[in-house]
Amino acid sequence: MSHSPYSWLSNSLETLHRANWYRSPQTLEGLPGAIASLSGQPVLNFASNNYLGLAGDRRLIEAAKEALEQYGTGSTGSRLTSGHRSLHRELERSIAQLKQTEDALVFSSGYLANLGAIAALMGPRDLILSDEYNHSSLKNGAILSKATVITYGHNNVQELTEKLREYRSQYRRSLIISDSIFSMDGDLCRLPQLLEVAQTYDSMLLIDEAHATGVFGSTGAGLVQHFQLHKPELIQVGTLSKAIGSLGGYVAGSALLIDYLRNRAPSWIYTTGLSPADTAAAQTAIAIIQTEPQHREQLWQNINDFQALLTRHCPQIVPIASESPIISLPLETPQQALDLSAYLKTQGIFAPAIRPPTVPTSRIRISLMATHQREHLESLVDGIKHYLDRMSGQ
Ligand SMILES: *Cc1c(COP(=O)(O)O)cnc(C)c1O
């Protein structure tokens, strides 16, 4: 038996298989919408972050095509060398205008925006307080920064306060980081309280609006707008890849912050500028989000309708939270989550099982979109009901 330094890879994968944690991608075809084609089978799509349906909108497609014709496929360099186009600056101005901030900076993804911002702002002498359910990009940004990281219980503002009271004075700078809508549970962070605690303990606050932008607030600016809590110094991160329907990420905040990040954020400085097509599509989406509230209104109508249907027909299953388009239905074991997802698929419904290690508890995670029809929601609830009835019959 010859030993290879790579043999641990198959052992490690074997462990994932045994725990039912193994994952692989599924192929969807065609334009993104409420109905998708999954391995050739048409399915109702409850797995997409395309909350407003904009990723398949003709206007975004046309804007991307025009940018392709005018600027070509690639940005060809980092923004500080040869990769900066007027399109990038226009998009940054639009984001700042949507977010009501002085300025904004566009990154190549939301993940890179978090890595870059946190690593640039914090160092080994600093303290980061992080919600235990934060997105991977926030957690890895904190690790990359080499600051001391204290994780507090999910949405536990009291624990956050106690940690700051105990440890704040031992560190130079302090930063609280949190999703605004938590990506796996779909619940809201306690933004008013976070702002208050941050102020009391001389701490900066970074909020990741990835799932809230386009969905919350009177013009779709996100949770900050929903709570009407515009603080000029608040650091707002987000993505262009969810409700905005394109690709890329951003940081929005004070002009000082943005100027600093342009000079200090490694994941912005040392990576190629966002492609012209993605940039133009995002720019068009932001205009649509601000001028066409009907998409957001329809999304919220669907959220309310789905909740009412679920409560009426499946009272035995209570969502982890139901305050956003992300609605997670808890199940006892990874196998049950897989079984329900597989059953729904036989019914022509795509709703993925999310299991450890991604989340602590197994669930079916449902993402609602403005483009879902009433009968799509009814089919989903029907499917869940049939599965639950079958289970309890056993
Ligand atoms: C999706 C997501 C990101 C990453 O954004 P991408 O643009 O897809 O890299 C960051 N934070 C949160 C909370 C997210 O849900």
Side-chain angles (χ1 to χ4, degrees), residues 240-351:
L240 303 172
S241 69
K242 291 179 176 141
I244 292 174
S246 180
L247 179 70
Y250 58 84
V251 178
S254 71
L256 209 59
L257 169 77
I258 298 308
D259 204 23
Y260 175 83
L261 291 179
R262 271 196 294 261
N263 287 277
R264 280 279 184 253
S267 67
W268 186 80
I269 298 170
Y270 301 106
T271 197
T272 301
L274 194 65
S275 84
D278 291 321
T279 310
Q283 171 82 7
T284 300
I286 289 174
I288 293 172
I289 283 171
Q290 287 180 293
T291 53
E292 297 179 7
Q294 60 267 34
H295 309 293
R296 194 163 42 256
E297 285 158 12
Q298 185 59 54
L299 174 62
W300 280 100
Q301 178 75 53
N302 288 350
I303 296 168
N304 293 331
D305 285 356
F306 175 70
Q307 276 163 18
L309 284 167
L310 192 71
T311 312
R312 174 140 34 99
H313 298 291
C314 311
Q316 64 272 56
I317 196 160
V318 178
I320 294 173
S322 43
E323 303 165 288
S324 77
I326 302 166
I327 297 172
S328 280
L329 305 178
L331 290 141
E332 269 164 34
T333 64
Q335 193 57 52
Q336 281 179 11
L338 288 172
D339 286 349
L340 173 51
S341 181
Y343 175 72
L344 289 174
K345 207 155 150 194
T346 66
Q347 303 303 300
I349 293 168
F350 182 36

Side-chain angles (χ1 to χ4, degrees), residues 335-394:
Q335 193 57 52
Q336 281 179 11
L338 288 172
D339 286 349
L340 173 51
S341 181
Y343 175 72
L344 289 174
K345 207 155 150 194
T346 66
Q347 303 303 300
I349 293 168
F350 182 36
I354 313 276
R355 295 158 286 157
T358 306
V359 288
T361 53
S362 297
R363 78 272 312 267
I364 293 286
R365 180 178 179 275
I366 293 153
S367 288
L368 297 175
M369 296 188 283
T371 47
H372 284 130
Q373 309 288 313
R374 170 85 188 184
E375 57 264 33
H376 300 157
L377 307 179
E378 288 168 352
S379 298
L380 173 59
V381 172
D382 253 12
I384 297 166
K385 179 177 160 45
H386 280 134
Y387 174 81
L388 293 175
D389 287 350
R390 248 182 18 173
M391 277 232 311
S392 59
Q394 274 166 9

Side-chain angles (χ1 to χ4, degrees), residues 49 51 107-114 133-138 178-184 207-212 237-242 246-250 326 365:
N49 298 319
Y51 297 118
F107 288 70
S108 301
S109 77
Y111 207 109
L112 289 172
N114 273 326
Y133 284 5
N134 273 343
H135 188 261
S136 160
S137 54
L138 290 167
S178 180
D179 284 22
S180 76
I181 306 303
F182 286 89
S183 53
M184 287 299 147
I207 293 294
D208 183 345
E209 295 261 50
H211 290 279
V237 181
T239 179
L240 303 172
S241 69
K242 291 179 176 141
S246 180
L247 179 70
Y250 58 84
I326 302 166
R365 180 178 179 275

Side-chain angles (χ1 to χ4, degrees), residues 24-47:
S24 59
Q26 310 190 65
T27 309
L28 270 77
E29 313 280 355
L31 281 181
I35 297 173
S37 168
L38 184 61
S39 325
Q41 182 201 359
V43 287
L44 292 176
N45 186 3
F46 290 101

